[in-house]
Amino acid sequence: MMDTHGCAALKLFVVGILVNVWMMKGLSATDSFSTEPTPPRPSNACNESRLQLEVEVCGEDFKRDMAHIDPQNWCNLTHFISTSAKDFENSGDSLTSEPNLCVLYRGEYHVFTLCTETKSQIVHCYWPNPLVESYIIRIHKHFFSNCTMEQVVWVDPPDDTLTILILIPVFLTMAMIALVVWCSKRSDILA
């Protein structure tokens, strides 16, 4: 038979697992932290061949829109993500009476992303999915492959930050061990 200390430790272990499962179920990132409503799951099968055609239409529209932007500005996000029609007027270019041109300069990349998402839903596919992601990567390689001017240099965090990041888990581990030992010594109250 197990002694009372072993039995108390087993009870504490089981309670810990149950509390952990309960907390993880309630704190699931997909359930609690979603900022946008989840679209309903498509009931029909994904039509990947049609999706490929639809996404290419989005890509052609994006390419046409990006043709209005000087290639030297392709790496400047403000020129194709948040440039407004007012900025376009101030750039010296002329706005025609075409309504599409005003929309063009309100965020070509956002329109492209929204187009791929909408087309995916129309053909009953999830977004993002591997087909759309591979097309978006091709678009990125075409327009933004030369945007990384310099290599990213990884540096260690400052010593104070590193010390804190190391010591917090160490102290938490020691506190949990002390709590288990303390609870096991007080088995007469917990039993």
Side-chain angles (χ1 to χ4, degrees):
M1 253 196 174
M2 294 180 75
D3 62 344
T4 57
H5 296 291
C7 194
L10 182 62
K11 285 180 186 177
L12 185 62
F13 180 72
V14 170
V15 168
I17 288 178
L18 291 175
V19 168
N20 187 22
V21 168
W22 174 67
M23 288 178 62
M24 293 305 289
K25 186 176 181 183
L27 297 176
S28 171
T30 58
D31 296 337
S32 302
F33 298 114
S34 177
T35 58
E36 297 179 9
T38 305
R41 294 186 175 265
S43 58
N44 300 342
C46 176
N47 187 343
E48 290 186 358
S49 57
R50 183 170 168 214
L51 178 63
Q52 180 68 39
L53 296 173
E54 297 288 348
V55 169
E56 287 178 9
V57 169
C58 296
E60 291 303 317
D61 291 344
F62 181 72
K63 288 175 186 176
R64 186 182 65 247
D65 293 346
M66 289 295 285
H68 295 286
I69 298 175
D70 184 13
Q72 293 178 347
N73 294 326
W74 284 356
C75 295
N76 187 346
L77 299 179
T78 58
H79 284 281
F80 60 90
I81 288 185
S82 63
T83 303
S84 66
K86 184 178 180 182
D87 294 335
F88 179 66
E89 289 173 354
N90 294 336
S91 70
D93 295 330
S94 62
L95 278 173
T96 64
S97 60
E98 292 180 36
N100 292 350
L101 205 51
C102 289
V103 174
L104 166 73
Y105 286 93
R106 293 201 184 269
E108 292 85 353
Y109 194 80
H110 175 72
V111 171
F112 169 66
T113 305
L114 192 61
C115 178
T116 60
E117 184 175 357
T118 305
K119 299 293 185 177
S120 294
Q121 291 175 356
I122 288 172
V123 297
H124 308 291
C125 296
Y126 293 101
W127 187 91
N129 62 48
L131 185 71
V132 174
E133 285 178 357
S134 67
Y135 192 79
I136 290 174
I137 289 171
R138 283 195 314 228
I139 289 289
H140 277 239
K141 284 181 180 176
H142 177 74
F143 288 101
F144 313 119
S145 62
N146 295 327
C147 290
T148 306
M149 301 296 179
E150 55 191 53
Q151 292 286 16
V152 176
V153 178
W154 296 99
V155 294
D156 289 336
D159 288 340
D160 295 340
T161 305
L162 192 60
T163 303
I164 291 171
L165 290 174
I166 292 171
L167 290 179
I168 287 175
V170 169
F171 284 130
L172 284 174
T173 303
M174 290 188 331
M176 290 304 295
I177 291 171
L179 181 65
V180 168
V181 169
W182 180 72
C183 286
S184 67
K185 287 184 178 182
R186 298 184 47 130
S187 64
D188 57 331
I189 296 173
L190 296 174

